[in-house]
């Protein structure tokens, strides 16, 4: 018992360092970003940085990442952004050192992304000696068929019977029966288009309560560039509880272009907000 608590303590310290947005590469990202979207005032405090990112780089409410547009920038600036996002652990694959997690939690997404996350979860689970619970957190977000030359639809590759993210999750769980995936539908806030990562954290807490699991290791399955931001939310939501969190993901798919810059900066804005503003009960 003492060994588990001590192990969780050490892992939590490591993960909290990972979850906190590193200062040096954040400043590098801001330096490049301000050349493209100048700040209206000085951004020398955490609160000012948060305000700048929220105002200039955050995606509009109730829009999806596949609706992002590329800001005007040079190829040199795109390369600079990529190098900086690598330092922020938003590009490369993320791995976990946990060997006996009680649960592997796949975070819901568009259909093709859920496929990738399940594949990532499979590789990790098959490396373990003891099989954990495998959970897929989904929601009732509609897989809208937003189509244009530049915007891939949320339902790309999904069967016609998959109308919502939950439908797609159940279909993929059935296609991966050997993983025994438990599809858990997360509730969203009134008026919201879909459940947020913060909603997913609350849903996971409810699931753990029903399973009477009050301590242990949990591995989140995300994708880039969202892994560190989503880990940060779970670390904040479960602070003070006896759970240890880590995150795994596949690397960000190439090519790295202006739209990926927009999505990375949007994610960075959400990450900084998570680290800056007390948000208990608020949507993120």
């Amino acid at each position: 018992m003492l060994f588990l608590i001590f192990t969780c303590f050490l892992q939590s310290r490591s993960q909290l360092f990972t979850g906190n947005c590193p200062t040096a590469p954040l400043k590098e990202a801001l330096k490049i970003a301000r050349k493209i979207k100048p700040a209206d005032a000085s951004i020398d405090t955490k609160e000012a940085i948060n305000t700048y990112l929220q105002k200039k780089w955050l995606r509009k409410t109730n829009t999806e990442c596949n609706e992002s547009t590329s800001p005007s920038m040079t190829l040199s600036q795109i390369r600079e952004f990529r190098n900086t996002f690598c330092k922020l652990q938003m590009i490369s694959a993320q791995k976990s050192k946990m060997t006996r997690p009680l649960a592997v939690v796949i975070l819901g997404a568009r259909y093709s992304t859920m496929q990738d996350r399940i594949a990532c979860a499979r590789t990790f689970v098959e490396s373990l000696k003891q099989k954990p619970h495998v959970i897929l957190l989904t929601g009732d977000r509609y897989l809208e068929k937003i189509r244009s030359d530049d915007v891939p639809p949320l339902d790309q590759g999904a069967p016609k019977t998959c109308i919502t993210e939950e439908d797609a999750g159940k279909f993929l769980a059935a296609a991966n029966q050997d993983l025994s995936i438990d599809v858990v539908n997360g509730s969203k806030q009134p008026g919201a288009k879909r459940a947020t990562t913060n909603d997913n954290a609350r849903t996971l807490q409810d699931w753990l309560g029903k399973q009477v699991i009050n301590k242990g290791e949990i591995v989140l399955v995300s994708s880039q560039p969202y892994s560190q931001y989503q880990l940060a939310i779970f670390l904040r939501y479960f602070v003070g509880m006896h759970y240890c969190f880590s995150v795994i993901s596949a690397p960000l798919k190439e090519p790295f272009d202006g739209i990926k810059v927009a999505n990375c900066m949007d994610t960075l804005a959400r990450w900084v907000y998570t680290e800056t503003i007390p948000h208990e009960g608020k949507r993120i």
Side-chain angles (χ1 to χ4, degrees), residues 2-239:
L2 289 175
F3 176 76
L4 175 62
I5 293 173
F6 180 67
T7 301
C8 286
F9 171 74
L10 291 178
Q11 290 176 341
S12 294
R13 285 178 63 87
S14 172
Q15 290 149 13
L16 282 169
F17 174 76
T18 302
N20 289 332
C21 193
T23 302
L26 171 59
K27 288 182 176 179
E28 288 180 26
L30 291 171
K31 184 178 179 180
I32 308 166
R34 291 179 68 178
K35 294 177 182 178
I36 298 167
K37 296 184 180 183
D40 299 327
S42 173
I43 53 172
D44 53 359
T45 66
K46 187 180 286 188
E47 290 72 20
I49 291 171
N50 176 60
T51 299
Y52 167 73
L53 290 172
Q54 295 284 312
K55 185 175 181 180
K56 300 289 186 176
W57 291 96
L58 190 67
R59 202 169 61 237
K60 291 182 179 179
T61 303
N62 277 338
T63 60
E64 302 287 351
C65 62
N66 65 324
E67 299 174 78
S68 297
T69 56
S70 173
S72 178
M73 67 185 83
T74 65
L75 290 175
S76 176
Q77 288 171 327
I78 291 176
R79 285 194 294 270
E80 286 182 292
F81 267 127
R82 191 186 193 287
N83 291 336
T84 300
F85 293 137
C86 280
K87 296 175 185 177
L88 288 164
Q89 300 183 56
M90 297 171 70
I91 301 290
S92 60
Q94 299 298 296
K95 298 181 180 180
S96 174
K97 294 182 179 180
M98 291 182 175
T99 57
R100 294 184 178 181
L102 64 90
V104 172
V105 181
I106 305 165
L107 303 178
R110 72 173 80 177
Y111 181 82
S112 60
T113 303
M114 276 197 286
Q115 282 183 307
D116 294 340
R117 291 181 183 182
I118 289 173
C120 184
R122 173 181 292 282
T123 300
F124 177 70
V125 169
E126 290 177 349
S127 72
L128 302 173
K129 293 182 179 179
Q130 183 174 336
K131 187 175 181 180
H133 294 282
V134 181
I135 309 156
L136 174 57
L137 298 179
T138 64
D140 54 3
R141 170 174 59 165
Y142 286 98
L143 298 178
E144 297 165 324
K145 297 173 176 59
I146 304 171
R147 300 183 186 280
S148 73
D149 292 338
D150 300 320
V151 181
L154 294 176
D155 68 334
Q156 190 172 50
K160 293 181 179 180
T161 53
C162 295
I163 307 301
T164 67
E165 184 181 300
E166 184 184 13
D167 295 335
K170 289 179 178 178
F171 176 83
L172 290 170
N176 293 271
Q177 289 185 7
D178 57 314
L179 288 178
S180 302
I181 299 174
D182 186 3
V183 180
V184 181
N185 189 14
S187 58
K188 60 184 180 181
Q189 298 295 321
K193 190 174 183 179
R194 63 181 176 88
T196 65
T197 304
N198 203 50
D199 295 328
N200 281 336
R202 183 174 58 254
T203 299
L204 177 60
Q205 184 182 29
D206 292 342
W207 183 89
L208 290 168
K210 291 176 182 177
Q211 301 295 322
V212 197
I213 299 172
N214 53 25
K215 63 179 182 293
E217 298 177 341
I218 299 174
V219 175
L220 305 174
V221 186
S222 180
S223 49
Q224 297 292 41
Y226 315 110
S227 65
Q228 299 305 316
Y229 150 64
Q230 292 183 319
L231 173 61
I233 286 185
F234 278 82
L235 288 172
R236 286 287 298 273
Y237 193 93
F238 285 87
V239 67

